[in-house]
Amino acid sequence: MPNRPAAVLSAAALAASLAAIVTPGAAAAACRPDARDLMVTYQPVDHTVADAQYHRARLTIDNHDDRCALGAGGWAMYFNAVRRPAAVLDGAAGDSARARLAGQGLTITRADAARSGDFYTLRPGDGFAPVGPGERRAIDVDFELWAVHKSDAPAGWTIAFAGGRPSWVPAKALLDPADPKQTTAFSGDHRPVQTAASRYAENTARRLDLTLRQSIVPQPLSAAASGGTVAIGGGSPVSAPRSLRREAGYLRSALTDVAGGRGAPVALSVDPRLDADRDGEPDPEGYTLTADGGGVRIVGADRAGVLYGVQTLRQLVPAGAYAAAARGRPASTVEVPRARISDAPLFGYRGLQIDVGRHFETKRTIEKFLDLMSFTKLNRLHLGLTNDEGWRLQIPGLPELTGFGSGRAFDLKETEALHQGMGSANDLGPGDGISGKAAGPAEANLGREPAYQGFEQGTLNFVGKGSGFYSVQDFEEILRYATERHVEVVPELNFPAHARAAVQSMERRYQRTHDSAYRLLDPADTSRHTSVQYYTDNLANPCLPSTYAFLDKVASEVAKMYERAGAPLNRLNLGGDEPPGPPEGWWSGSPACQKAPETAGRSGEELKELFFTRWNAIAHKYAPATAGWEDITDPTRSFRLKGFTPLPWQNVWGWGREDWAYRFANEGTPVILAHATNLYMDLAYNKDPDEPGYYWAAYVDEKSTFTYQPFDVYANATEDRWGNPVTPNPSWTKLTAEGRRNILGLEAQLWAENGKAPGIREYQAFPKLLGAAERAWNRDTPAPDEMDAAWGVFSNTLGQKTFPLLSFYKPVGLSGARVNYRVPPPGAKISDGTLAANVRDPGLAVEYSTDGANWRPYAGPVRVGAYALARTRSADGRSSRISPAGVPAWRNSTAYKAGALVSHQGELFRATHDGSGGEPGRDPGHWALLQ
């Protein structure tokens, strides 16, 4: 609601006061502002107040209600925060933060009864002055560590009056990239904020003429065009033996999606002796593709190889043909180049991990990712089905896992569901105890349809699937869809830590039935621990027989689903990451551990090893191999598991685990590389406050994944996450020739803390996943001194070939088209009134504007005056975030003409008419927000 004139507000406030006097108590209690007329704005304002310990933020409460004040008491606001409010901390930092709040008449405490996780409440205390109608109140609040991205902001704000049902309070985040106090995390942070000018300096790739081989992602071993084309279509005769009926059906469906007419024939066949690289040995998953006057012939070393040949054929179809089909005007046939292509992979394990525990994703979203995985020749989906924040798979016989553990709600005692977490409950839907939520994504995004080309305010306003699960039927359909694409699904059941959803679900089961058969905690355990995500009650107890009965029950039911789906369960992931340390505290206060002969007197580390020995044995009853995070088997200890493959992940430079992958491999333990510094796709692309994602390990973009060196990861150790130079430690273990043979492959990671909508997931994954696919498949890994030139080619491939394909990509067997890949904002600078702009990936179009309303194609340096805007345009018409060049900061009491551009608090605004106007962001009648 826009601000009212001061005189009207004063009259309204006076009327409300008089009413309260006439009917004391009742009228005052009834006069409460509507929750939607409030607004909470979060802005970090000073990271220098306590270097690397906590930062000062400004919470601004706007009361747009024209009648009622936010009173001196009787209300509570609830929110989630990835950074703990310092007021809940012990010690001097907590004392100082509590005193600062008390001086403003406020308190912040943990909200939920369990005091576990990221849920907090803001309440008025002694001395809080009401926020009157039309008033704004700025509150200084200290939060731990730092917040240099908008996605660090508190989320999921509600208000409850007199202990009643909470209602949504709109929220937004501001962060001014021009203010070092807001963007410099601490004194050791030397990473500059990304700007249009810095992008201009970084965008060095020149446009290249690409060969056929360079036009395909991942690049094949060899590809030679012979001149001319071959016409194919959905009606092309497809010949294939019965054993390839699924691959033939996939091909027909893919061709029909782009062209319906009859074209040249396509023949599919298998040759187990196929030697794609001509080294005298067969190449599993390899293929050859020949397109000539006789049509198209694809020969695979196996069925998977045939499908990968089909995927290469899909990439040979011109992007214009996909565009025409997406627009409802498909051609009768499409032309692919006459060529011969030979190909085979580097690694047998080429994976993607998708976390659906922190935020759920629908079956359709997972199926779309599966088709994209096959398109890029990835073959393992590591599906994180369980975590602290949610259990996502129906298990027959244990209804509480999904009846309780798959839901998040405003439920402070957690009687029916897990409490609200990570700013989300049941997305924008009902049934989670929160009233008045936005009716759709645009309203949640404060009036603008989200594009998910960067941070969106809607992610602070309950956008995000905190609730949801796959039924048995859903999961079996996912397995069948994956199997048809030669993708194995590796289920992760994460224990003993990150297990809060399971632990608390089984506790509810015990409370309901008094049956302890599957109980996961010792109720008398006095151990105290706090996880990385601040959970205090998320550890399964290794000393209870019921813990292993539960694991066996779950694993057996999962195995039945695979069997019914006809899908291979070749590997089960045990989880095992981030047990809340230190080990001395693990189950040290558990009577069950102290009394059982098998566990009495054992240390926390020994109990953990006992747990994984038994969990691994259970898993091996149902799968021939197991996997889990590196935390399970420390290379400095002798403990190892039979048939187990660790995923080394925490290689952050300077943290001490940089060489764990190679230490495992050299000793003979197979490993799957999952290094956070290069393969964690949920990490922010760069240090731009509008880039969503965390940055605890590094900033990760498609260059990070493409330039990753699987066999020399230290070559990637050039700088730390704060922009400081890194020199590889000579004592780090080098990978031996024997160790190299134990690298099974690599796996990109798509964690879900910030993955609150499918568009965000796709934005985070693409184009990063394309770089990971290159390093997993392409045997020609450039040496470090060759990588810059190889990157120049790859960025051309993306801009000229791959992005246009993804713009109109249609998953086979699913409705809808397009991948919401990140459209890179352009570089831009102004010199003497002339705009120069460039783009990261040559082939993408750039546009510019001097008023934010009228955009023109950019063809070269152009006179614009003192400032201008630039943006990148994709083949399907979507645009990147705007890159401002020279746009001045807003100045109060300045008369702006219509069309004038200003920046204010990190946002861009266009004056909609002549006059001085009010403050941008507070006067929508004069200013239009640009993004």
Side-chain angles (χ1 to χ4, degrees):
M1 180 182 294
N3 290 337
R4 304 298 180 89
V8 175
L9 290 171
S10 297
L14 178 60
S17 299
L18 291 172
I21 293 171
V22 173
T23 54
C31 192
R32 298 166 178 161
D34 189 289
R36 288 184 180 227
D37 285 336
L38 301 173
M39 167 73 81
V40 175
T41 302
Y42 164 88
Q43 185 171 18
V45 293
D46 195 349
H47 283 89
T48 68
V49 292
D51 199 34
Q53 295 181 26
Y54 59 86
H55 68 277
R56 188 144 301 147
R58 182 161 298 136
L59 284 180
T60 304
I61 300 176
D62 281 288
N63 180 8
H64 296 302
D65 193 294
D66 61 2
R67 188 176 62 90
C68 297
L70 181 64
W75 58 267
M77 285 189 181
Y78 299 89
F79 63 95
N80 297 110
V82 66
R83 305 287 186 230
R84 285 181 293 187
V88 305
L89 303 177
D90 296 328
D95 293 339
S96 174
R98 287 185 286 273
R100 180 167 291 103
L101 282 168
Q104 301 168 88
L106 292 162
T107 64
I108 292 180
T109 58
R110 293 192 175 275
D112 57 308
R115 299 173 61 83
S116 179
D118 66 344
F119 200 23
Y120 307 98
T121 182
L122 171 72
R123 297 177 184 271
D126 293 341
F128 180 76
V131 184
E135 288 186 2
R136 160 179 280 198
R137 176 71 48 78
I139 302 164
D140 285 344
V141 184
D142 294 337
F143 287 84
E144 68 174 351
L145 299 176
W146 42 74
V148 296
H149 286 254
K150 292 179 182 176
S151 53
D152 292 331
W157 287 86
T158 63
I159 190 168
F161 292 100
R165 185 177 183 181
S167 297
W168 168 54
V169 174
K172 71 180 297 183
L174 294 175
L175 208 162
D176 190 347
D179 182 356
K181 284 190 173 184
Q182 296 186 41
T183 60
T184 304
F186 69 110
S187 58
D189 179 7
H190 297 116
R191 186 177 292 277
V193 176
Q194 181 142 126
T195 64
S198 66
R199 283 192 290 269
Y200 186 86
E202 293 170 1
N203 293 343
T204 58
R206 295 177 294 112
R207 186 178 179 104
L208 303 174
D209 292 329
L210 298 172
T211 65
L212 178 63
R213 179 171 182 250
Q214 293 168 341
S215 300
I216 301 167
V217 175
Q219 277 194 20
L221 287 172
S222 65
S226 56
T229 60
V230 178
I232 57 175
S236 288
V238 177
S239 61
R242 181 172 177 77
S243 61
L244 293 176
R245 65 187 184 281
R246 287 184 176 176
E247 291 72 20
Y250 185 94
L251 171 62
R252 291 188 185 97
S253 180
L255 291 177
T256 301
D257 285 341
V258 70
R262 183 179 179 86
V266 182
L268 308 179
S269 63
V270 169
D271 179 2
R273 298 168 299 177
L274 183 70
D275 180 10
D277 59 4
R278 300 183 180 180
D279 67 350
E281 298 291 334
D283 291 305
E285 299 183 284
Y287 68 91
T288 61
L289 185 156
T290 304
D292 55 24
V296 178
R297 296 180 299 283
I298 296 172
V299 181
D302 43 34
R303 291 178 52 214
V306 171
L307 186 64
Y308 297 139
V310 169
Q311 302 294 14
T312 294
L313 180 62
R314 292 176 74 194
Q315 289 199 43
L316 296 181
V317 174
Y322 287 106
R327 291 165 180 155
R329 300 187 297 274
S332 176
T333 59
V334 294
E335 304 287 333
V336 298
R338 295 191 180 200
R340 177 172 175 79
I341 299 171
S342 294
D343 206 4
L346 170 64
F347 289 125
Y349 188 109
R350 305 179 300 281
L352 167 65
Q353 184 267 158
I354 299 181
D355 164 23
V356 296
R358 270 62 179 270
H359 282 97
F360 183 65
E361 282 302 341
T362 64
K363 177 170 74 77
R364 188 193 182 283
T365 296
I366 297 302
E367 288 176 340
K368 183 176 181 180
F369 267 98
L370 283 164
D371 200 67
L372 284 161
M373 288 176 66
S374 180
F375 187 66
T376 54
K377 302 181 176 68
L378 300 176
N379 65 355
R380 299 291 192 280
L381 173 63
H382 170 183
L383 195 56
L385 293 165
T386 71
N387 225 293
D388 292 320
E389 298 83 3
W391 181 282
R392 306 304 186 187
L393 180 61
Q394 179 186 17
I395 300 297
L398 297 178
E400 292 82 4
L401 286 173
T402 48
F404 174 87
S406 73
R408 296 212 287 263
F410 186 88
D411 186 346
L412 301 184
K413 295 183 179 180
E414 296 182 296
T415 56
E416 302 295 332
L418 297 168
H419 62 66
Q420 171 187 319
M422 297 184 170
S424 62
N426 190 33
D427 206 357
L428 298 180
D432 56 11
I434 300 165
S435 65
K437 284 188 289 187
E443 185 180 5
N445 208 39
L446 307 182
R448 187 181 63 84
E449 197 68 37
Y452 297 121
Q453 283 296 312
F455 174 80
E456 300 284 12
Q457 302 289 356
T459 59
L460 306 182
N461 292 305
F462 288 104
V463 167
K465 298 180 183 66
S467 300
F469 66 92
Y470 305 118
S471 68
V472 170
Q473 180 179 340
D474 289 337
F475 190 62
E476 290 175 3
E477 288 174 358
I478 288 172
L479 294 176
R480 293 187 188 98
Y481 191 91
T483 301
E484 289 176 355
R485 285 149 183 79
H486 295 281
V487 178
E488 291 184 16
V489 178
V490 180
E492 179 183 343
L493 305 172
N494 199 355
F495 290 92
H498 282 304
R500 187 173 192 265
V503 170
Q504 298 304 320
S505 294
M506 290 301 94
E507 198 60 14
R508 302 313 181 273
R509 179 185 184 276
Y510 172 77
Q511 293 165 1
R512 180 178 65 84
T513 65
H514 303 292
D515 176 8
S516 61
Y518 297 120
R519 204 173 190 185
L520 296 174
L521 61 78
D522 176 357
D525 190 353
T526 59
S527 307
R528 293 290 178 265
H529 61 266
T530 302
S531 75
V532 176
Q533 288 81 18
Y534 317 126
Y535 291 106
T536 59
D537 51 2
N538 70 337
L539 268 177
N541 192 298
C543 308
L544 302 174
S546 52
T547 293
Y548 304 104
F550 171 85
L551 293 171
D552 192 279
K553 167 67 173 175
V554 171
S556 68
E557 294 294 343
V558 170
K560 292 174 187 174
M561 297 178 207
Y562 276 77
E563 183 178 5
R564 286 192 297 266
L569 178 56
N570 289 327
R571 192 181 299 272
L572 196 154
N573 190 295
L574 310 178
D577 62 319
E578 296 184 324
E584 294 77 22
W586 298 339
W587 311 290
S588 59
S590 168
C593 292
Q594 295 162 3
K595 293 177 182 177
E598 187 181 13
T599 58
R602 295 203 183 209
S603 68
E605 193 69 49
E606 290 170 333
L607 290 174
K608 186 192 84 168
E609 293 175 358
L610 171 67
F611 170 82
F612 281 113
T613 299
R614 296 190 64 178
W615 179 202
N616 191 57
I618 290 169
H620 273 289
K621 291 169 57 178
Y622 308 105
T626 57
W629 302 106
E630 66 179 16
D631 314 54
I632 293 174
T633 56
D634 183 335
T636 66
R637 295 175 64 87
S638 61
F639 175 68
R640 295 294 181 272
L641 291 171
K642 180 181 178 181
F644 173 81
T645 299
L647 280 76
W649 62 281
Q650 199 177 145
N651 71 312
V652 182
W653 314 122
W655 283 18
R657 294 189 181 184
E658 299 89 343
D659 64 353
W660 275 27
Y662 294 167
R663 293 176 71 172
F664 282 130
N666 288 352
E667 74 176 23
T669 299
V671 298
I672 298 164
L673 303 174
H675 285 138
T677 57
N678 291 76
L679 298 175
Y680 270 42
M681 301 186 302
D682 61 294
L683 298 179
Y685 276 88
N686 52 54
K687 190 179 178 180
D688 178 338
D690 279 305
E691 285 293 349
Y694 295 156
Y695 41 94
W696 60 268
Y699 288 98
V700 174
D701 62 9
E702 68 273 26
K703 189 172 184 180
S704 306
T705 55
F706 179 83
T707 59
Y708 179 62
Q709 296 277 337
F711 303 121
D712 184 13
V713 67
Y714 313 137
N716 298 115
T718 57
E719 62 179 19
D720 66 16
R721 59 178 169 158
W722 304 117
N724 301 299
V726 169
T727 301
N729 189 327
S731 68
W732 289 343
T733 300
K734 307 296 190 299
L735 186 66
T736 64
E738 181 63 30
R740 179 172 173 141
R741 288 191 281 271
N742 289 317
I743 304 293
L744 300 186
L746 62 83
E747 184 176 282
Q749 308 295 320
L750 190 58
W751 297 98
E753 290 92 333
N754 290 290
K756 296 184 175 183
I760 302 174
R761 299 276 195 149
E762 293 180 14
Y763 177 91
Q764 291 178 325
F766 291 93
K768 297 180 194 182
L769 190 60
L770 302 171
E774 277 288 336
R775 295 287 69 85
W777 179 277
N778 189 347
R779 295 186 180 184
D780 185 16
T781 304
D785 61 351
E786 300 170 338
M787 195 59 86
D788 282 346
W791 164 251
V793 172
F794 185 67
S795 62
N796 269 269
T797 304
L798 295 179
Q800 295 184 46
K801 300 292 184 179
T802 314
F803 284 159
L805 286 178
L806 294 179
S807 288
F808 304 102
Y809 181 88
K810 185 180 186 304
V812 174
L814 298 178
S815 60
R818 197 180 80 181
V819 175
N820 188 50
Y821 59 86
R822 179 179 184 264
V823 182
K829 66 176 184 177
I830 291 179
S831 300
D832 298 325
T834 297
L835 171 70
N838 59 15
V839 69
R840 181 179 180 92
D841 304 304
L844 290 172
V846 176
E847 299 175 334
Y848 75 97
S849 174
T850 56
D851 62 4
N854 301 291
W855 292 86
R856 302 176 182 87
Y858 175 84
V862 59
R863 293 285 299 175
V864 293
Y867 59 76
L869 308 176
R871 68 186 184 187
T872 308
R873 178 71 74 177
S874 68
D876 57 2
R878 293 176 302 126
S879 61
S880 71
R881 296 196 308 278
I882 292 172
S883 288
V887 174
W890 172 75
R891 296 177 61 184
N892 196 8
S893 302
T894 300
Y896 291 96
K897 292 186 178 297
L901 303 178
V902 298
S903 65
H904 184 57
Q905 302 285 27
E907 296 185 308
L908 282 171
F909 295 90
R910 175 181 183 272
T912 54
H913 55 266
D914 294 343
S916 60
E919 180 183 354
R922 296 205 72 204
D923 185 4
H926 188 87
W927 297 101
L929 178 66
L930 304 176
Q931 289 181 294

